[in-house]
Amino acid sequence: MEAEKTTSPRQLTVSIARGVDDTHFSTYSVPWRENQTVLDVVTEIQRTQAPDLSYRFACRVGVCGSCAMTVNGKPRWTCRTHVSRVEENGAIVIEPLRNMPRVKDLVVDMREFFDKWKKAGNTFVGTATRNDPPAAVLPQSKKRKQADAAIECINCAVCYAACDVVSWDKDYLGPAALNRAWTLYNDERHADPKDVLNKATSGSGCNSCHTQGSCMTHCPVSLSPTGSIAGLKRSALMSFLKRG
């Protein structure tokens, strides 16, 4: 009787960028599992093969955005990215996000990202006190609708990593900071929308945007920082014409 044939379980080949200054790739093999995410794969490698692998994650359900990495050349939330959607011939390549200094392996230093968020005038200053009644902002008002279109950003920096303008102009505030500026400019409770507009449009602000749309293409929650930046440009022009 012919011996019963055995087949090895399918394997996934994973190349991960390692190191701090000098990048090198280490390749790992993990079992292919149904519905596994890229974050599942990185976690399995860290727990079973490379305990010194550095990466960042928290919620695992697409709320915090901290697990963002570059997968096969594109910035993504790894907790929401299934291997079956991105693998190429049974292989994936994982790198840290672009446009930010690297700390180690898949971890980047996001301080410049958040510093630019502040430079865009994105600190809310209220006009009411705790003793005042809550502000009545009509859901159907124009400003509320404009803010609604951009308010779901959680600062995961995927758009920042995807932006080519950030790559060649390190002073550019970036799509996330300018998207936030647009929501704050339209917030009827904010004390100084003119300050937001001035900071968002000065220097390497929204006028440096080339409207390539990479931020919009890669945003995991389908926001349009490109549209927000266009809104800032339009508002700045209208403000200038009114002064004239």
Side-chain angles (χ1 to χ4, degrees):
M1 185 176 178
E2 187 177 349
E4 189 174 316
K5 294 182 180 180
T6 60
T7 57
S8 300
R10 187 180 180 186
Q11 296 289 303
L12 177 71
T13 301
V14 186
S15 297
I16 298 180
R18 302 295 308 270
V20 179
D21 297 320
D22 298 324
T23 299
H24 65 276
F25 283 88
S26 296
T27 302
Y28 308 91
S29 181
V30 298
W32 184 294
R33 296 185 175 88
E34 196 67 29
N35 294 325
Q36 68 192 149
T37 66
V38 174
L39 181 58
D40 291 335
V41 168
V42 174
T43 300
E44 181 170 356
I45 291 171
Q46 191 271 338
R47 290 179 178 176
T48 63
Q49 301 182 52
D52 60 340
L53 174 63
S54 296
Y55 66 109
R56 182 182 287 135
F57 77 97
C59 74
R60 300 181 67 92
V61 291
V63 174
C64 70
S66 62
C67 69
M69 304 172 199
T70 303
V71 183
N72 286 0
K74 296 181 180 180
R76 301 173 178 272
W77 288 352
T78 54
C79 71
R80 286 284 189 92
T81 301
H82 284 83
V83 169
S84 58
R85 286 173 44 205
V86 294
E87 61 86 17
E88 297 176 0
N89 298 318
I92 57 174
V93 179
I94 308 173
E95 302 168 86
L97 292 178
R98 295 170 57 218
N99 295 336
M100 285 169 283
R102 189 182 194 175
V103 176
K104 181 176 181 286
D105 299 336
L106 302 173
V107 179
V108 295
D109 186 342
M110 296 183 68
R111 280 179 292 186
E112 70 177 48
F113 172 79
F114 288 111
D115 284 345
K116 290 178 179 179
W117 197 85
K118 295 175 183 176
K119 288 179 182 178
N122 291 333
T123 301
F124 175 79
V125 180
T127 56
T129 68
R130 290 179 179 272
N131 298 321
D132 295 321
V137 180
L138 297 177
Q140 67 270 26
S141 69
K142 181 180 179 180
K143 280 187 171 292
R144 177 65 200 190
K145 289 181 178 179
Q146 288 175 329
D148 274 349
I151 207 168
E152 298 298 328
C153 174
I154 60 172
N155 290 310
C156 66
V158 164
C159 63
Y160 191 84
C163 181
D164 289 330
V165 180
V166 174
S167 298
W168 67 66
D169 180 3
K170 282 300 178 182
D171 292 325
Y172 177 49
L173 295 179
L178 294 170
N179 181 76
R180 164 63 180 168
W182 178 240
T183 65
L184 194 58
Y185 177 72
N186 287 291
D187 192 332
E188 298 176 40
R189 305 164 301 164
H190 184 52
D192 197 356
K194 288 183 179 179
D195 180 66
V196 177
L197 191 61
N198 289 337
K199 289 179 178 177
T201 56
S202 64
S204 292
C206 64
N207 292 313
S208 295
C209 175
H210 287 211
T211 323
Q212 293 174 309
S214 295
C215 54
M216 179 174 56
T217 300
H218 293 89
C219 178
V221 291
S222 301
L223 299 182
S224 176
T226 303
S228 298
I229 293 169
L232 289 168
K233 292 179 179 178
R234 193 165 52 246
S235 297
L237 177 60
M238 293 303 295
S239 178
F240 174 77
L241 292 175
K242 286 179 181 179
R243 287 200 304 268

